[in-house]
Amino acid sequence: MSGAPHLGGPDPGASATSAKGLTTYVDAIREGLREEMARDESVFLLGEDIGVYGGAFKVTDGLIQEFGEERVIDTPIAETAIVGAAVGAAMMGMRPVAEMQFIDFISCAFDMITNFAAKSRYRTGVGVPLVIRGPSGGGVHGGPFHSQNPEAYFAHTPGLKVVQPATAYDAKGLIKAAIRDDDPVLFFEHKFLYRRIKEELPSEDYIVPIGKAAVRREGRDLTVVTYGAMMWTALEAAKTLEAEGIDVEVVDLRTLFPLDETTVLESVSKTNKAILLHEATRTGGIGAEIAAVLSERCFEYLDGPLVRVTAPDTPVPYSPPLEEFFLPNSEKLCRAARALAAY
Amino acid sequence: MSGAPHLGGPDPGASATSAKGLTTYVDAIREGLREEMARDESVFLLGEDIGVYGGAFKVTDGLIQEFGEERVIDTPIAETAIVGAAVGAAMMGMRPVAEMQFIDFISCAFDMITNFAAKSRYRTGVGVPLVIRGPSGGGVHGGPFHSQNPEAYFAHTPGLKVVQPATAYDAKGLIKAAIRDDDPVLFFEHKFLYRRIKEELPSEDYIVPIGKAAVRREGRDLTVVTYGAMMWTALEAAKTLEAEGIDVEVVDLRTLFPLDETTVLESVSKTNKAILLHEATRTGGIGAEIAAVLSERCFEYLDGPLVRVTAPDTPVPYSPPLEEFFLPNSEKLCRAARALAAY
Amino acid sequence: MDLTRDQRLELYRLMRLNRVVEEKLVNLYRQGKVVGGLYRSLGQEATSIGSAYALSRGDIVGPLIRNLGVVLVMGYSPRDVITQYMARATSPSGGKDCNLHFGRPDRGVISPISMLGALIPVMAGIALAGRMQKKDLVTMTWIGDGGTSTGAFHEGLNFAAVQKLPLVVIAENNGWAYSTPFHKQTAAKCLADKAAAYGIPGESVDGNDVLAMYAAARRAVDRARSGGGPTLVEALTYRMKGHAEHDAQAYVRKEELEAWRQKDPLERYARVLIESKDATAEQLAAIDQAIGQDVDREVQLAEQSPLPAPEVALQNVYANGIRGVEIEPAPTGARRPR
Amino acid sequence: MDLTRDQRLELYRLMRLNRVVEEKLVNLYRQGKVVGGLYRSLGQEATSIGSAYALSRGDIVGPLIRNLGVVLVMGYSPRDVITQYMARATSPSGGKDCNLHFGRPDRGVISPISMLGALIPVMAGIALAGRMQKKDLVTMTWIGDGGTSTGAFHEGLNFAAVQKLPLVVIAENNGWAYSTPFHKQTAAKCLADKAAAYGIPGESVDGNDVLAMYAAARRAVDRARSGGGPTLVEALTYRMKGHAEHDAQAYVRKEELEAWRQKDPLERYARVLIESKDATAEQLAAIDQAIGQDVDREVQLAEQSPLPAPEVALQNVYANGIRGVEIEPAPTGARRPR
Ligand SMILES: Cc1ncc(C[n+]2csc(CCOP(=O)(O)OP(=O)(O)O)c2C)c(N)n1
Ligand SMILES: Cc1ncc(C[n+]2csc(CCOP(=O)(O)OP(=O)(O)O)c2C)c(N)n1
Ligand SMILES: [Mg+2]
Ligand SMILES: [Mg+2]
């Protein structure tokens, strides 16, 4: 990994893509898609502007040339139809991957996802192996409708799996795992990471298993449980805090449902203190669920309150000073960590 | 209050309505609507089959006769149009109350609610005083699409308020408060309670303020934080446990956002143990948020793990033995309470 | 596409079966043995059966809850339907879901969700997959006058039209959506008019004339199979009962109901068969009697079938085990060594 | 409904203003002063301005992000638009939302959300409220060829038609939805064909002819005002730039673009005005120059305007204070007396 991105910093843009064997987050997703399409004929893509144009963020760039317009389908602007068609195709044994142009538009397919896709196996015995993916998250001044982090809605919906990669390695490994999974998987990409991080990826086939968290940094004093772009914020803060003598462990959830409770519990049983960090808004976010799991299953090991560092309960504002104020960052995390360490 | 309903018990049906000055939950909602419509010309209702038919559960029965079809509007089957029209009308200073025939269908209006209604005041300065109401909850063998409890989705959406009454008194007082509120309020009714509970209501105008919980039973040993039909389950369990020497406090949240943290914190600071009880599925439910609040703000007062008693993470099954197994009940709650009390 | 005499009699048998199964369900409902609501298709049997009959083996249907006739055409047994309404373990959904919410692509039937319109994009996806898999596969689904107002109907049909998918949509105009009359549902003159929005053919047909229904559906199926894309076929019919058994349909004018009773599709078709000498009244009565006996036996077997085991509630949320286990008694956490 | 010479010149002025404001925005964008994307309406000015011009004081519009001309007709200043694109505190949204997402009913403008189609039911609700409040109020909104595929478009227009609401929908067929051409969006021959589904009048008009656009919109507005219900007016036009400034529209054929350049609505209208002797070329040049100076000044003022104070991020989520406060440092709980 080539270093943590700084939320609010400049976007190196497309020029940063794949230099000297390093693969960016966006390229990693595309490679994952390509490999799975090559491996399995039943994998196909559908979404708005994903074919000829290659997607608003170029995630699917070039795939229509490689696989043809039968397998890379440009659709009308109709998220319910996109997901609905994916559900139907998945019932027939296909492995559709549906793109939401921005993940915010997933709200327009909410019924289809939560009622048709999520409940199909349970009530009829027919599983729907589909993936819904798209760019989530803020930091690029996209305003209220191009910056959302809706993952908690779906983690609260039985029948769905929810993942969010923080690294290029995971982006590729998780998209491949999601496609191979027999159940509907929501794959949340963080648009801020697309071209800001890169790393060397293995040349051989690999997946990152769904349901497994990763300890990104070991530490003794407290655990930061996080995921997505905030993983980098946690690492950045951990560096700052190290200099102050506070030793932070960083757990990257990677999968938000089903949670890897074992890894979280082990970490917090060791450090005895935890901060739950996410970019999504506070109330009812993933942090609340982690807090519930910890206070249910790790109670005796807690030496301090569970602290949430999240966006406040507001829509995502557009103007840079507002968005900066809104988003969690290293400084806010450090403040919370210092107080908790001193507790 | 005329006694706790037993989930799974027989439905006394319409015959139980309003005997000797007692008002049922369903009648209480209707009275609240009627009084607000009489008080304020800008209040109107819209939804499927709410006029001539009086609503699938007869919540709006008779109102079209009283207020005319201009103010009780039968709509096409189009939840996005229903909520969208309510948003537009609310922007113009009207006070629309939109019915979802079953609350499950709210998924079809998810975008309109979470993106248009919730964010309007924040991003444009124009508030949308509207109410969305409908029957939620299980216990009547309605199956996966007529039994849901989707409140957590909306408590996680900044800009919305979320309430769920457990008593006829609150049903009337909260629907009136919701209508008078200047922001969008989601009003979740529990269909199991419609005709199963009744009580004497004040004859004078009253509201139940949004954001205020109620302590339904005082106790020393542990607090059950709950809402909706589960409030009755908690009271029933409290009785059983009392005989065993376990003294349970029951907090009825009534409002799920914004939470009355003060009441919850005060109660748990006193009893030092808490069970979070809800009918909605476990992961990411309201119980998770309460756990987060408690472990954040009440940490030192906790003498035992926070325990969730909820439905498991599955769709709501239809067949009676399955649904009974799925739903939380007094027995399951007692089991958890005994263990926690002994902790 | 002409039907043989056997086929014409099979249509009769299916329509009678539809009606008899429903009458038995009404009995069971009155005895409190049906779990939940009961949705009738009385007077609409020709619509379901005439349309589904136009399909071939390998085709896939997505019926709604009023399309009992469709699943009978697809070979579901009366017991499948009755156990399902009785929430039994042996029912197609195993007691997980209600009424006609059952299906499997391998049996040619897709289960709807309650949200109206949602099946249309899903059936489009089935058709899309069929094309990718080089299957000779036509899909057919049904939607009420009320259901056409949903966004999902619009998105799904538009997508299918753009992709020229083999999808036939039968729009059942039965005058009502619950208590809502057609003119409060849409200002369009008829549902067939909605086809123009998608650049596909639209046609209205007498849904109480099983042969006309069959012929219109057959034209649409043939068009779909030959690459001509989707068709919207409006079936003009009438909902003879309330929305469900609990609904006394007080909002319906008696005369209107009476007028439609005269057009009962089953009686009408019996007259046609007799007039055309396909069958005598006695032959039809014999069919009726045999069906009655069959269904009685099916009811008995259904009543003897078990309810599901409670733990089944936790099964099959995910392919490999579920997470949502029942609550464990507190404390769930390990004791900390001090 | 004939326009006076002054009105005809005002149309010209508005179209020029539209174009000049956008050119200035492009400069600002290239200087990195626009925050986020920039969406052009080049070549579509007549559609927005001709249609909105058909409204009267008290009417309410719901423009989309490509309808810069509409807000200019409604009296927004160039500075409103420029400060908004620059995310300034003084912009109509105060920096909360981007591009043309600004509005207030009291200024006759409703702000869209990004989700296409969602405005249609909301505008129907505005029209409904207007009728209830006995206001003489017509609503108008715009939707792209792409936006017509959404469920919200369908549900909203159907609802408006059933309620016979005073709503005019201008469907801007500019050939593209981002990179998606019309024929991949719908199999309908034209967007006007979608009116039949709702039982309302549909009409296609040359959207690059401001007078024709005005006339068609005016007919629809008059119909709406007199109780005739909604109309769907399709404006045939062309998106001369990419979806947004970052999009080089590589997917568009050069010849097609060139052909439409010949139909530029502003140049065309200038010729009409000169030919009809409404104005000389010199008079038009003088208008252009005045506008240029005005807008330069507005840009200057916009550039001097402040960014919002950070804490504004927490304001106005609810009417009376918000809950989502910034994180407090741990521990937040009170100490327990032992
Ligand atoms: C999206 C959605 N909203 C509401 C309902 C509740 N509902 C169930 S059936 C029904 C009426 C359906 O009418 P129609 O589509 O004409 O079918 P019919 O009952 O006449 O066969 C309604 C409103 C639903 N199932 N789905
Ligand atoms: C529901 C929804 N899905 C996706 C998008 C992303 N998106 C923004 S503009 C656009 C293309 C719009 O095309 P059209 O409606 O023809 O309008 P035009 O840009 O041509 O003016 C898309 C796909 C959106 N805004 N809303
Ligand atoms: Mg109907
Ligand atoms: Mg367009």
Side-chain angles (χ1 to χ4, degrees):
Chain A
M1 294 154 216
S2 66
H6 296 256
L7 284 178
D11 185 344
S15 63
T17 321
S18 317
K20 340 183 189 69
L22 300 183
T23 305
T24 58
Y25 185 91
V26 67
D27 290 342
I29 301 167
R30 188 183 316 108
E31 277 190 19
L33 292 170
R34 177 186 288 123
E35 288 179 12
E36 292 306 298
M37 291 180 81
R39 187 186 59 79
D40 180 353
E41 274 214 325
S42 63
V43 180
F44 73 99
L45 317 181
L46 73 173
E48 296 152 13
D49 307 295
I50 64 164
V52 176
Y53 192 68
F57 285 92
K58 301 288 175 192
V59 174
T60 55
D61 202 23
L63 297 181
I64 195 170
Q65 283 79 11
E66 195 167 339
F67 297 103
E69 64 175 11
E70 261 233 335
R71 292 179 68 193
V72 184
I73 302 174
D74 277 323
T75 68
I77 302 177
E79 285 76 13
T80 290
I82 291 169
V83 177
V87 169
M91 287 177 170
M92 295 287 286
M94 301 298 290
R95 302 245 158 195
V97 181
E99 172 171 304
M100 304 283 105
Q101 192 160 89
F102 283 80
I103 208 67
D104 310 62
F105 302 125
I106 204 167
S107 55
C108 299
F110 196 79
D111 178 55
M112 195 56 84
I113 297 169
T114 62
N115 283 317
F116 226 130
K119 299 177 177 48
S120 179
R121 179 183 300 283
Y122 186 72
R123 60 187 201 86
T124 73
V126 183
V128 286
L130 59 85
V131 178
I132 300 169
R133 48 155 293 274
S136 58
V140 301
H141 318 313
F145 307 109
H146 290 75
S147 312
Q148 293 178 30
N149 290 288
E151 61 273 9
Y153 294 139
F154 302 100
H156 181 54
T157 306
L160 304 177
K161 296 181 177 179
V162 182
V163 303
Q164 182 161 161
T167 69
Y169 181 92
D170 283 1
K172 182 172 176 185
L174 278 172
I175 192 72
K176 288 164 67 89
I179 290 171
R180 296 181 195 182
D181 198 277
D182 288 333
D183 287 305
V185 180
L186 274 68
F187 183 89
F188 292 98
E189 300 159 12
H190 201 298
K191 67 173 78 66
F192 191 84
L193 299 180
Y194 276 143
R195 295 177 169 79
R196 280 187 179 81
I197 56 171
K198 43 180 182 283
E199 66 185 301
E200 208 177 305
L201 299 187
S203 54
E204 61 278 10
D205 179 54
Y206 73 94
I207 65 157
V208 170
I210 291 176
K212 285 265 171 286
V215 177
R216 294 294 179 192
R217 183 188 197 283
E218 299 203 2
R220 285 180 325 266
D221 296 333
L222 62 87
T223 302
V224 176
V225 183
T226 189
Y227 57 92
M230 283 294 138
M231 196 280 286
W232 299 101
T233 304
L235 288 183
E236 189 189 330
K239 242 193 215 159
T240 307
L241 292 164
E242 185 174 32
E244 303 173 20
I246 301 172
D247 192 16
V248 172
E249 178 143 318
V250 177
V251 174
D252 175 3
L253 290 172
R254 308 201 286 192
T255 293
L256 307 180
F257 192 96
L259 275 176
D260 180 357
E261 297 188 359
T262 309
T263 299
V264 175
L265 292 170
E266 271 175 18
S267 172
V268 180
S269 298
K270 180 182 77 176
T271 63
N272 307 116
K273 289 179 181 173
I275 293 178
L276 320 170
L277 169 71
H278 55 68
E279 190 185 306
T281 56
R282 184 181 186 84
T283 298
I286 298 293
E289 178 59 27
I290 306 289
V293 168
L294 288 172
S295 54
E296 230 162 355
R297 307 197 42 195
C298 200
F299 173 72
E300 298 218 354
Y301 288 86
L302 293 179
D303 285 344
L306 297 170
V307 178
R308 287 185 286 181
V309 177
T310 70
D313 287 335
T314 79
V316 186
Y318 154 63
S319 188
L322 304 182
E323 192 182 18
E324 204 180 319
F325 192 79
F326 168 89
L327 288 173
N329 58 28
S330 170
E331 195 190 316
K332 297 176 190 179
L333 177 56
C334 285
R335 250 186 357 248
R338 282 181 204 115
L340 183 58
Y343 185 89
Chain B
M1 294 155 212
S2 67
H6 298 256
L7 283 179
D11 185 345
S15 62
T17 321
S18 318
K20 340 183 190 70
L22 299 182
T23 306
T24 58
Y25 185 90
V26 67
D27 290 341
I29 300 167
R30 188 184 315 107
E31 277 189 20
L33 293 170
R34 176 186 287 122
E35 288 179 13
E36 292 306 297
M37 291 181 82
R39 187 186 59 77
D40 180 353
E41 275 214 324
S42 63
V43 180
F44 73 98
L45 317 181
L46 73 174
E48 296 152 15
D49 307 294
I50 65 164
V52 175
Y53 192 68
F57 285 92
K58 301 287 175 194
V59 174
T60 54
D61 203 23
L63 298 181
I64 196 171
Q65 284 78 10
E66 197 169 338
F67 298 103
E69 64 176 11
E70 261 233 334
R71 292 181 66 195
V72 184
I73 302 175
D74 277 325
T75 67
I77 301 177
E79 285 75 13
T80 290
I82 292 169
V83 177
V87 168
M91 286 178 172
M92 295 288 286
M94 301 298 288
R95 302 244 158 196
V97 181
E99 172 172 304
M100 303 283 104
Q101 191 160 88
F102 283 79
I103 208 67
D104 310 63
F105 302 125
I106 204 167
S107 54
C108 300
F110 196 79
D111 178 54
M112 196 55 85
I113 297 170
T114 61
N115 283 317
F116 226 130
K119 300 177 177 48
S120 180
R121 179 183 299 284
Y122 186 72
R123 60 188 200 84
T124 73
V126 182
V128 286
L130 59 85
V131 177
I132 300 169
R133 49 155 291 276
S136 58
V140 301
H141 317 315
F145 307 110
H146 290 75
S147 312
Q148 293 178 31
N149 290 288
E151 61 272 9
Y153 295 139
F154 303 99
H156 180 55
T157 307
L160 303 177
K161 296 181 177 180
V162 182
V163 303
Q164 182 160 163
T167 69
Y169 181 92
D170 283 1
K172 181 172 175 186
L174 278 171
I175 192 72
K176 287 164 67 88
I179 290 171
R180 295 182 197 181
D181 198 277
D182 288 335
D183 287 305
V185 180
L186 274 69
F187 183 90
F188 293 99
E189 301 158 13
H190 201 298
K191 66 172 80 64
F192 192 84
L193 300 179
Y194 276 144
R195 294 176 170 80
R196 281 186 180 81
I197 56 170
K198 44 179 181 283
E199 67 183 299
E200 209 178 305
L201 299 187
S203 55
E204 60 279 10
D205 179 55
Y206 73 94
I207 65 157
V208 170
I210 292 177
K212 285 264 170 286
V215 178
R216 295 294 181 192
R217 183 187 197 282
E218 300 203 0
R220 285 180 322 266
D221 295 333
L222 62 86
T223 302
V224 175
V225 184
T226 189
Y227 57 92
M230 283 295 137
M231 196 280 286
W232 298 100
T233 305
L235 288 183
E236 189 189 330
K239 242 191 215 160
T240 307
L241 294 164
E242 185 174 31
E244 304 173 18
I246 300 172
D247 191 16
V248 172
E249 179 144 317
V250 176
V251 174
D252 175 3
L253 290 172
R254 307 201 287 192
T255 294
L256 307 179
F257 192 96
L259 275 176
D260 181 358
E261 297 188 358
T262 308
T263 299
V264 175
L265 293 170
E266 271 175 18
S267 173
V268 180
S269 298
K270 181 181 75 175
T271 62
N272 306 118
K273 290 179 179 174
I275 293 179
L276 320 170
L277 169 71
H278 55 68
E279 191 186 304
T281 56
R282 185 183 186 82
T283 298
I286 298 292
E289 178 60 27
I290 305 288
V293 168
L294 287 171
S295 54
E296 228 163 359
R297 308 200 38 198
C298 199
F299 173 71
E300 298 218 352
Y301 288 85
L302 294 178
D303 285 344
L306 297 170
V307 178
R308 287 184 287 181
V309 177
T310 70
D313 287 335
T314 78
V316 187
Y318 154 64
S319 188
L322 305 183
E323 192 182 20
E324 205 180 319
F325 192 79
F326 168 89
L327 288 173
N329 58 27
S330 170
E331 196 191 315
K332 297 176 191 177
L333 177 56
C334 286
R335 251 188 354 249
R338 281 180 205 116
L340 184 58
Y343 185 89
Chain C
M1 74 186 239
D2 271 358
L3 294 168
T4 64
R5 173 171 176 273
D6 278 357
Q7 290 175 316
R8 288 193 298 272
L9 287 179
E10 194 182 6
L11 280 175
Y12 176 83
R13 194 178 298 111
L14 285 162
M15 285 169 68
R16 175 62 66 192
L17 182 61
N18 182 344
R19 187 159 295 184
V20 170
V21 167
E22 236 176 68
E23 284 163 356
K24 300 292 177 195
L25 283 169
V26 171
N27 289 343
L28 291 166
Y29 181 85
R30 298 212 173 120
Q31 297 166 43
K33 290 176 177 168
V34 162
V35 179
L38 175 61
Y39 302 84
R40 302 292 304 278
S41 63
L42 185 69
Q44 299 182 227
E45 296 93 341
T47 304
S48 287
I49 289 166
S51 53
Y53 204 75
L55 294 166
S56 303
R57 182 176 296 275
D59 291 342
I60 298 188
V61 298
L64 295 183
I65 57 177
R66 228 178 277 293
N67 297 116
L68 174 52
V70 171
V71 299
L72 297 177
V73 173
M74 299 303 287
Y76 277 50
S77 72
R79 211 186 323 164
D80 287 334
V81 178
I82 298 164
T83 51
Q84 176 80 8
Y85 262 113
M86 295 176 79
R88 300 304 166 109
T90 50
S91 72
S93 88
K96 291 283 189 71
D97 204 347
C98 20
N99 53 61
L100 296 200
H101 289 194
F102 49 35
R104 293 281 174 104
D106 56 8
R107 298 176 72 180
V109 179
I110 302 299
S111 171
I113 63 172
S114 290
M115 290 68 189
L116 294 167
L119 255 184
I120 312 253
V122 171
M123 296 308 290
I126 304 254
L128 181 70
R131 185 164 72 193
M132 288 175 156
Q133 294 166 341
K134 312 234 181 312
K135 289 187 173 139
D136 170 28
L137 178 160
V138 170
T139 57
M140 184 181 283
T141 190
W142 289 259
I143 187 86
D145 40 289
T148 64
S149 301
T150 61
F153 167 84
H154 178 72
E155 293 197 8
L157 202 43
N158 186 58
F159 175 80
V162 169
Q163 286 285 332
K164 257 191 178 308
L165 295 173
L167 170 67
V168 176
V169 176
I170 312 289
E172 286 189 85
N173 183 350
N174 64 2
W176 298 94
Y178 213 140
S179 72
T180 305
F182 186 82
H183 73 273
K184 283 194 183 172
Q185 195 63 240
T186 179
K189 280 178 290 297
C190 65
L191 298 178
D193 276 4
K194 296 189 185 276
Y198 314 109
I200 61 172
E203 177 178 357
S204 291
V205 62
D206 181 347
N208 282 19
D209 176 345
V210 70
L211 296 177
M213 185 71 239
Y214 167 79
R218 185 61 198 268
R219 279 191 296 276
V221 167
D222 289 349
R223 181 180 301 122
R225 206 179 303 284
S226 62
T231 304
L232 183 66
V233 181
E234 174 181 31
L236 296 161
T237 181
Y238 202 82
R239 199 191 70 199
M240 296 305 293
K241 304 297 281 180
H243 174 61
E245 277 298 286
H246 70 266
D247 168 16
Q249 61 182 156
Y251 46 83
V252 177
R253 282 190 310 114
K254 295 279 159 303
E255 308 77 57
E256 188 162 296
L257 214 50
E258 194 40 50
W260 278 94
R261 199 164 285 135
Q262 302 305 318
K263 305 186 211 167
D264 180 84
L266 192 50
E267 288 170 23
R268 222 168 121 185
Y269 190 47
R271 282 196 301 274
V272 168
L273 290 174
I274 293 167
E275 273 163 29
S276 68
K277 304 251 184 323
D278 272 338
T280 63
E282 293 68 37
Q283 285 170 322
L284 296 182
I287 293 176
D288 294 356
Q289 211 200 344
I291 288 174
Q293 287 166 356
D294 271 9
V295 177
D296 279 340
R297 204 170 35 245
E298 296 270 292
V299 169
Q300 266 180 13
L301 290 168
E303 292 209 58
Q304 289 157 15
S305 68
L307 285 164
E311 318 78 57
V312 169
L314 300 180
Q315 290 167 12
N316 238 6
V317 182
Y318 295 96
N320 30 26
I322 69 123
R323 202 190 99 94
V325 291
E326 212 204 348
I327 54 145
E328 303 149 53
T332 51
R335 290 281 170 173
R336 182 179 185 174
R338 298 267 169 190
Chain D
M1 73 187 241
D2 271 359
L3 293 169
T4 63
R5 174 174 176 270
D6 278 358
Q7 290 175 316
R8 290 193 297 272
L9 287 180
E10 195 182 4
L11 281 175
Y12 177 83
R13 193 176 300 111
L14 285 162
M15 285 168 68
R16 174 64 64 191
L17 182 61
N18 182 344
R19 186 159 295 182
V20 170
V21 167
E22 236 176 67
E23 285 164 356
K24 299 292 175 194
L25 283 169
V26 172
N27 289 344
L28 291 166
Y29 180 85
R30 299 213 172 120
Q31 297 166 42
K33 291 177 177 169
V34 162
V35 179
L38 175 61
Y39 302 85
R40 302 292 305 277
S41 63
L42 185 69
Q44 299 182 227
E45 296 93 340
T47 304
S48 287
I49 288 166
S51 53
Y53 204 74
L55 294 166
S56 303
R57 181 177 296 273
D59 292 341
I60 297 187
V61 298
L64 294 183
I65 57 177
R66 230 178 276 293
N67 298 117
L68 174 52
V70 172
V71 300
L72 298 176
V73 173
M74 298 304 286
Y76 277 49
S77 71
R79 211 186 323 164
D80 287 334
V81 178
I82 298 164
T83 51
Q84 177 78 9
Y85 263 112
M86 296 177 78
R88 300 304 166 109
T90 49
S91 71
S93 89
K96 291 285 189 69
D97 204 347
C98 20
N99 53 60
L100 296 201
H101 290 194
F102 48 35
R104 293 280 173 104
D106 55 8
R107 297 175 73 178
V109 178
I110 301 299
S111 170
I113 63 172
S114 291
M115 290 70 190
L116 294 168
L119 255 184
I120 313 254
V122 171
M123 295 308 290
I126 304 254
L128 181 70
R131 184 164 73 194
M132 288 174 156
Q133 294 166 341
K134 311 235 183 308
K135 289 186 174 140
D136 170 28
L137 177 159
V138 171
T139 57
M140 185 181 283
T141 190
W142 290 258
I143 187 86
D145 40 289
T148 65
S149 301
T150 61
F153 167 84
H154 178 72
E155 293 198 8
L157 201 44
N158 186 58
F159 175 80
V162 169
Q163 286 285 332
K164 257 192 175 314
L165 296 173
L167 170 66
V168 177
V169 175
I170 311 289
E172 287 189 83
N173 183 350
N174 65 2
W176 298 95
Y178 212 141
S179 71
T180 305
F182 186 83
H183 74 271
K184 283 193 183 173
Q185 196 63 241
T186 179
K189 280 177 290 300
C190 65
L191 297 178
D193 275 5
K194 296 188 184 276
Y198 313 109
I200 61 172
E203 179 179 352
S204 290
V205 61
D206 180 349
N208 282 19
D209 175 345
V210 71
L211 296 177
M213 186 71 238
Y214 168 79
R218 186 62 197 268
R219 281 190 295 277
V221 167
D222 289 349
R223 181 180 301 123
R225 206 179 302 283
S226 62
T231 303
L232 183 66
V233 181
E234 174 181 32
L236 296 161
T237 180
Y238 203 82
R239 200 192 69 200
M240 298 303 293
K241 306 295 281 179
H243 175 61
E245 277 298 286
H246 69 266
D247 168 16
Q249 61 182 155
Y251 45 82
V252 177
R253 283 191 310 115
K254 295 279 161 300
E255 307 78 56
E256 187 161 297
L257 213 50
E258 193 40 51
W260 278 94
R261 198 163 284 134
Q262 303 304 319
K263 303 186 212 166
D264 180 83
L266 191 50
E267 286 170 23
R268 221 166 121 185
Y269 190 46
R271 282 196 300 274
V272 168
L273 289 174
I274 291 168
E275 274 164 31
S276 68
K277 304 250 186 318
D278 272 339
T280 63
E282 293 69 34
Q283 285 169 323
L284 296 183
I287 292 176
D288 294 356
Q289 209 200 344
I291 288 174
Q293 286 167 357
D294 272 9
V295 176
D296 279 339
R297 203 169 35 245
E298 295 270 293
V299 169
Q300 266 181 13
L301 289 168
E303 292 209 57
Q304 289 157 17
S305 67
L307 286 164
E311 318 79 59
V312 170
L314 299 180
Q315 290 166 13
N316 238 5
V317 182
Y318 295 97
N320 29 27
I322 70 124
R323 201 190 101 94
V325 290
E326 213 205 347
I327 54 143
E328 302 149 55
T332 50
R335 290 279 169 176
R336 182 178 187 175
R338 297 267 171 188

